[in-house]
Amino acid sequence: MVEPSARTPANVSVVEHPLTSHLLAGLRDESTPPEQFRHLSKRLSTVLVLEATRNLPTRRARVTTPLEEADAELLDGGVVAVPILRAGLGLLEAVTDLLPDVQVGYAGLERDESTLQPTSYYLKVPNLDGTSTLLLDPMLATGGSAAFAASLLKERGARNVQLVCVVAAPEGIERLANEHPDVGVVTGAIDSHLNDVGFIVPGLGDFGDRLFGTS
Ligand SMILES: O=P(O)(O)OC[C@H]1O[C@H](OP(=O)(O)OP(=O)(O)O)[C@H](O)[C@@H]1O
Ligand SMILES: O=c1cc[nH]c(=O)[nH]1
Ligand SMILES: [Mg+2]
């Protein structure tokens, strides 16, 4: 794992917290079975989503406490979450728990294992104009899938997009910053590098397979 360096773009945020490290260790552990992997994924994504929603717009309000009137701030504006299938589903429940009014779209992308190019097999998203969009994909490897998904969302009107991921490779961060400098990234860690078959090292393996018990 590498520390965020001077080369890490300003809009990439690594959530450094003992809880993040602890949960990530469980996800990385090859002996963690799918049921526990899903549980850890939900708990870690709660921490990541809190960071990714730090700058959501709010409006001022007044509430009456049992003692007196007080200033308050309420969430103001629509949020859309778009998990990239399949692995992004592991981050979705944390979002719907934290933001009950969130709208959810889906982007089905699959990376060809030999060319590493993503193809789209499904896309269903609500109107994204004027919303804050959370793009959910735990693994930012070459960055091809996230960059492709960001383009698809922008074609449909998204202007304020944050990618929430669990582990990012420096290669993916660089590609996303080049193709979509306006897209923020919140990640649990920046790992060392990609291996020669496009897997993040040390990483945690294939997130989708580990989440759903496939191989
Ligand atoms: O940054 P990239 O090089 O594009 O790689 C990352 C993508 O690879 C994985 O998806 P995969 O194609 O394995 O699909 P799955 O989630 O259905 O397993 C992962 O969930 C990302 O979407
Ligand atoms: O390491 C990797 C790279 C892409 N997708 C994964 O699930 N894991
Ligand atoms: Mg996969």
Side-chain angles (χ1 to χ4, degrees), residues 84-87 109-111 137 139-145 206 208:
I84 299 182
L85 305 177
R86 294 172 298 168
L109 299 186
E110 188 166 25
R111 197 172 76 143
D137 191 341
M139 306 305 279
L140 181 64
T142 65
S145 302
D206 187 302

PDB file of all heavy atoms in Angstrom, residues 84-87 109-111 137 139-145 206 208, ligand 1:
ATOM      1  N   ILE A  84     -21.912   0.016 -10.173  1.00  0.00           N
ATOM      2  CA  ILE A  84     -21.490  -0.700 -11.384  1.00  0.00           C
ATOM      3  C   ILE A  84     -21.596  -2.188 -11.059  1.00  0.00           C
ATOM      4  O   ILE A  84     -20.944  -2.679 -10.132  1.00  0.00           O
ATOM      5  CB  ILE A  84     -20.044  -0.333 -11.790  1.00  0.00           C
ATOM      6  CG1 ILE A  84     -19.933   1.167 -12.099  1.00  0.00           C
ATOM      7  CG2 ILE A  84     -19.613  -1.171 -12.987  1.00  0.00           C
ATOM      8  CD1 ILE A  84     -18.551   1.625 -12.552  1.00  0.00           C
ATOM      9  N   LEU A  85     -22.455  -2.868 -11.814  1.00  0.00           N
ATOM     10  CA  LEU A  85     -22.669  -4.309 -11.578  1.00  0.00           C
ATOM     11  C   LEU A  85     -21.401  -5.068 -11.983  1.00  0.00           C
ATOM     12  O   LEU A  85     -20.737  -4.656 -12.942  1.00  0.00           O
ATOM     13  CB  LEU A  85     -23.858  -4.795 -12.399  1.00  0.00           C
ATOM     14  CG  LEU A  85     -25.182  -4.020 -12.189  1.00  0.00           C
ATOM     15  CD1 LEU A  85     -26.255  -4.568 -13.122  1.00  0.00           C
ATOM     16  CD2 LEU A  85     -25.622  -4.102 -10.750  1.00  0.00           C
ATOM     17  N   ARG A  86     -21.125  -6.143 -11.256  1.00  0.00           N
ATOM     18  CA  ARG A  86     -21.840  -6.623 -10.094  1.00  0.00           C
ATOM     19  C   ARG A  86     -21.304  -6.048  -8.797  1.00  0.00           C
ATOM     20  O   ARG A  86     -22.021  -5.854  -7.822  1.00  0.00           O
ATOM     21  CB  ARG A  86     -21.639  -8.152  -9.938  1.00  0.00           C
ATOM     22  CG  ARG A  86     -22.216  -9.035 -10.978  1.00  0.00           C
ATOM     23  CD  ARG A  86     -21.725 -10.466 -10.718  1.00  0.00           C
ATOM     24  NE  ARG A  86     -20.271 -10.565 -10.817  1.00  0.00           N
ATOM     25  CZ  ARG A  86     -19.550 -11.616 -10.419  1.00  0.00           C
ATOM     26  NH1 ARG A  86     -20.152 -12.669  -9.893  1.00  0.00           N
ATOM     27  NH2 ARG A  86     -18.246 -11.640 -10.560  1.00  0.00           N
ATOM     28  N   ALA A  87     -19.985  -5.858  -8.758  1.00  0.00           N
ATOM     29  CA  ALA A  87     -19.322  -5.635  -7.474  1.00  0.00           C
ATOM     30  C   ALA A  87     -19.846  -4.405  -6.745  1.00  0.00           C
ATOM     31  O   ALA A  87     -19.868  -4.363  -5.512  1.00  0.00           O
ATOM     32  CB  ALA A  87     -17.813  -5.543  -7.671  1.00  0.00           C
ATOM     33  N   LEU A 109     -21.467  -3.217 -16.321  1.00  0.00           N
ATOM     34  CA  LEU A 109     -20.235  -3.201 -17.119  1.00  0.00           C
ATOM     35  C   LEU A 109     -19.463  -4.470 -16.819  1.00  0.00           C
ATOM     36  O   LEU A 109     -19.439  -4.931 -15.680  1.00  0.00           O
ATOM     37  CB  LEU A 109     -19.335  -2.015 -16.758  1.00  0.00           C
ATOM     38  CG  LEU A 109     -19.843  -0.598 -16.933  1.00  0.00           C
ATOM     39  CD1 LEU A 109     -18.707   0.387 -16.648  1.00  0.00           C
ATOM     40  CD2 LEU A 109     -20.380  -0.378 -18.330  1.00  0.00           C
ATOM     41  N   GLU A 110     -18.793  -4.972 -17.837  1.00  0.00           N
ATOM     42  CA  GLU A 110     -17.919  -6.124 -17.598  1.00  0.00           C
ATOM     43  C   GLU A 110     -16.604  -5.900 -18.324  1.00  0.00           C
ATOM     44  O   GLU A 110     -16.577  -5.472 -19.477  1.00  0.00           O
ATOM     45  CB  GLU A 110     -18.580  -7.407 -18.092  1.00  0.00           C
ATOM     46  CG  GLU A 110     -17.770  -8.617 -17.666  1.00  0.00           C
ATOM     47  CD  GLU A 110     -18.541  -9.914 -17.839  1.00  0.00           C
ATOM     48  OE1 GLU A 110     -19.468  -9.950 -18.686  1.00  0.00           O
ATOM     49  OE2 GLU A 110     -18.210 -10.872 -17.140  1.00  0.00           O
ATOM     50  N   ARG A 111     -15.545  -6.185 -17.595  1.00  0.00           N
ATOM     51  CA  ARG A 111     -14.201  -6.011 -18.135  1.00  0.00           C
ATOM     52  C   ARG A 111     -13.794  -7.305 -18.838  1.00  0.00           C
ATOM     53  O   ARG A 111     -13.831  -8.368 -18.244  1.00  0.00           O
ATOM     54  CB  ARG A 111     -13.283  -5.730 -16.945  1.00  0.00           C
ATOM     55  CG  ARG A 111     -11.977  -5.145 -17.247  1.00  0.00           C
ATOM     56  CD  ARG A 111     -11.261  -4.753 -15.970  1.00  0.00           C
ATOM     57  NE  ARG A 111     -10.701  -5.888 -15.261  1.00  0.00           N
ATOM     58  CZ  ARG A 111      -9.531  -5.856 -14.621  1.00  0.00           C
ATOM     59  NH1 ARG A 111      -8.834  -4.748 -14.600  1.00  0.00           N
ATOM     60  NH2 ARG A 111      -9.096  -6.909 -13.985  1.00  0.00           N
ATOM     61  N   ASP A 137     -18.215   1.563  -7.169  1.00  0.00           N
ATOM     62  CA  ASP A 137     -17.459   0.427  -7.712  1.00  0.00           C
ATOM     63  C   ASP A 137     -16.253   0.201  -6.813  1.00  0.00           C
ATOM     64  O   ASP A 137     -15.396   1.076  -6.709  1.00  0.00           O
ATOM     65  CB  ASP A 137     -17.000   0.697  -9.151  1.00  0.00           C
ATOM     66  CG  ASP A 137     -16.452  -0.583  -9.788  1.00  0.00           C
ATOM     67  OD1 ASP A 137     -16.099  -1.524  -9.062  1.00  0.00           O
ATOM     68  OD2 ASP A 137     -16.387  -0.629 -11.035  1.00  0.00           O
ATOM     69  N   MET A 139     -13.546  -1.529  -6.950  1.00  0.00           N
ATOM     70  CA  MET A 139     -12.189  -1.724  -7.458  1.00  0.00           C
ATOM     71  C   MET A 139     -11.897  -0.751  -8.602  1.00  0.00           C
ATOM     72  O   MET A 139     -12.513  -0.825  -9.667  1.00  0.00           O
ATOM     73  CB  MET A 139     -12.000  -3.172  -7.953  1.00  0.00           C
ATOM     74  CG  MET A 139     -12.361  -4.235  -6.933  1.00  0.00           C
ATOM     75  SD  MET A 139     -11.506  -4.075  -5.345  1.00  0.00           S
ATOM     76  CE  MET A 139      -9.921  -4.808  -5.718  1.00  0.00           C
ATOM     77  N   LEU A 140     -10.954   0.150  -8.394  1.00  0.00           N
ATOM     78  CA  LEU A 140     -10.501   1.059  -9.458  1.00  0.00           C
ATOM     79  C   LEU A 140      -9.149   0.508  -9.915  1.00  0.00           C
ATOM     80  O   LEU A 140      -8.129   0.774  -9.284  1.00  0.00           O
ATOM     81  CB  LEU A 140     -10.376   2.480  -8.895  1.00  0.00           C
ATOM     82  CG  LEU A 140      -9.931   3.571  -9.867  1.00  0.00           C
ATOM     83  CD1 LEU A 140     -10.957   3.766 -10.992  1.00  0.00           C
ATOM     84  CD2 LEU A 140      -9.704   4.895  -9.139  1.00  0.00           C
ATOM     85  N   ALA A 141      -9.160  -0.288 -10.970  1.00  0.00           N
ATOM     86  CA  ALA A 141      -7.937  -0.980 -11.404  1.00  0.00           C
ATOM     87  C   ALA A 141      -7.278  -0.188 -12.535  1.00  0.00           C
ATOM     88  O   ALA A 141      -6.527   0.756 -12.263  1.00  0.00           O
ATOM     89  CB  ALA A 141      -8.275  -2.415 -11.784  1.00  0.00           C
ATOM     90  N   THR A 142      -7.571  -0.522 -13.801  1.00  0.00           N
ATOM     91  CA  THR A 142      -7.038   0.311 -14.896  1.00  0.00           C
ATOM     92  C   THR A 142      -7.773   1.648 -14.948  1.00  0.00           C
ATOM     93  O   THR A 142      -7.297   2.600 -15.563  1.00  0.00           O
ATOM     94  CB  THR A 142      -7.228  -0.359 -16.275  1.00  0.00           C
ATOM     95  OG1 THR A 142      -8.639  -0.454 -16.551  1.00  0.00           O
ATOM     96  CG2 THR A 142      -6.593  -1.743 -16.313  1.00  0.00           C
ATOM     97  N   GLY A 143      -8.970   1.692 -14.354  1.00  0.00           N
ATOM     98  CA  GLY A 143      -9.799   2.891 -14.427  1.00  0.00           C
ATOM     99  C   GLY A 143     -10.725   2.887 -15.624  1.00  0.00           C
ATOM    100  O   GLY A 143     -11.558   3.782 -15.780  1.00  0.00           O
ATOM    101  N   GLY A 144     -10.607   1.852 -16.481  1.00  0.00           N
ATOM    102  CA  GLY A 144     -11.442   1.813 -17.688  1.00  0.00           C
ATOM    103  C   GLY A 144     -12.934   1.782 -17.376  1.00  0.00           C
ATOM    104  O   GLY A 144     -13.715   2.502 -18.002  1.00  0.00           O
ATOM    105  N   SER A 145     -13.326   0.951 -16.403  1.00  0.00           N
ATOM    106  CA  SER A 145     -14.757   0.827 -16.096  1.00  0.00           C
ATOM    107  C   SER A 145     -15.301   2.126 -15.495  1.00  0.00           C
ATOM    108  O   SER A 145     -16.368   2.613 -15.889  1.00  0.00           O
ATOM    109  CB  SER A 145     -15.000  -0.328 -15.120  1.00  0.00           C
ATOM    110  OG  SER A 145     -14.517  -1.533 -15.648  1.00  0.00           O
ATOM    111  N   ASP A 206     -10.854 -10.765  -6.867  1.00  0.00           N
ATOM    112  CA  ASP A 206     -12.010 -10.312  -7.650  1.00  0.00           C
ATOM    113  C   ASP A 206     -13.166 -10.029  -6.698  1.00  0.00           C
ATOM    114  O   ASP A 206     -13.747 -10.946  -6.111  1.00  0.00           O
ATOM    115  CB  ASP A 206     -12.398 -11.389  -8.670  1.00  0.00           C
ATOM    116  CG  ASP A 206     -13.489 -10.889  -9.608  1.00  0.00           C
ATOM    117  OD1 ASP A 206     -14.576 -10.506  -9.118  1.00  0.00           O
ATOM    118  OD2 ASP A 206     -13.270 -10.860 -10.830  1.00  0.00           O
ATOM    119  N   GLY A 208     -16.228  -8.974  -7.094  1.00  0.00           N
ATOM    120  CA  GLY A 208     -17.538  -9.529  -7.460  1.00  0.00           C
ATOM    121  C   GLY A 208     -17.621 -11.011  -7.120  1.00  0.00           C
ATOM    122  O   GLY A 208     -18.619 -11.484  -6.565  1.00  0.00           O
TER     123      GLY A 208
HETATM  124  O1  LIG B   1     -10.662  -0.433 -13.473  1.00  0.00           O
HETATM  125  P1  LIG B   1     -10.931  -1.611 -14.339  1.00  0.00           P
HETATM  126  O2  LIG B   1      -9.665  -2.158 -14.959  1.00  0.00           O
HETATM  127  O3  LIG B   1     -11.975  -1.362 -15.393  1.00  0.00           O
HETATM  128  O4  LIG B   1     -11.418  -2.798 -13.411  1.00  0.00           O
HETATM  129  C1  LIG B   1     -12.349  -2.624 -12.417  1.00  0.00           C
HETATM  130  C2  LIG B   1     -13.628  -3.335 -12.742  1.00  0.00           C
HETATM  131  O5  LIG B   1     -13.411  -4.747 -12.722  1.00  0.00           O
HETATM  132  C3  LIG B   1     -14.364  -5.343 -11.875  1.00  0.00           C
HETATM  133  O6  LIG B   1     -15.527  -5.670 -12.537  1.00  0.00           O
HETATM  134  P2  LIG B   1     -15.681  -7.004 -13.405  1.00  0.00           P
HETATM  135  O7  LIG B   1     -15.488  -6.724 -14.849  1.00  0.00           O
HETATM  136  O8  LIG B   1     -14.824  -8.093 -12.809  1.00  0.00           O
HETATM  137  O9  LIG B   1     -17.200  -7.348 -13.237  1.00  0.00           O
HETATM  138  P3  LIG B   1     -17.976  -7.988 -11.991  1.00  0.00           P
HETATM  139  O10 LIG B   1     -18.106  -6.881 -10.967  1.00  0.00           O
HETATM  140  O11 LIG B   1     -19.272  -8.407 -12.585  1.00  0.00           O
HETATM  141  O12 LIG B   1     -17.160  -9.137 -11.480  1.00  0.00           O
HETATM  142  C4  LIG B   1     -14.633  -4.271 -10.842  1.00  0.00           C
HETATM  143  O13 LIG B   1     -15.825  -4.479 -10.138  1.00  0.00           O
HETATM  144  C5  LIG B   1     -14.644  -3.024 -11.663  1.00  0.00           C
HETATM  145  O14 LIG B   1     -15.898  -2.745 -12.244  1.00  0.00           O
END
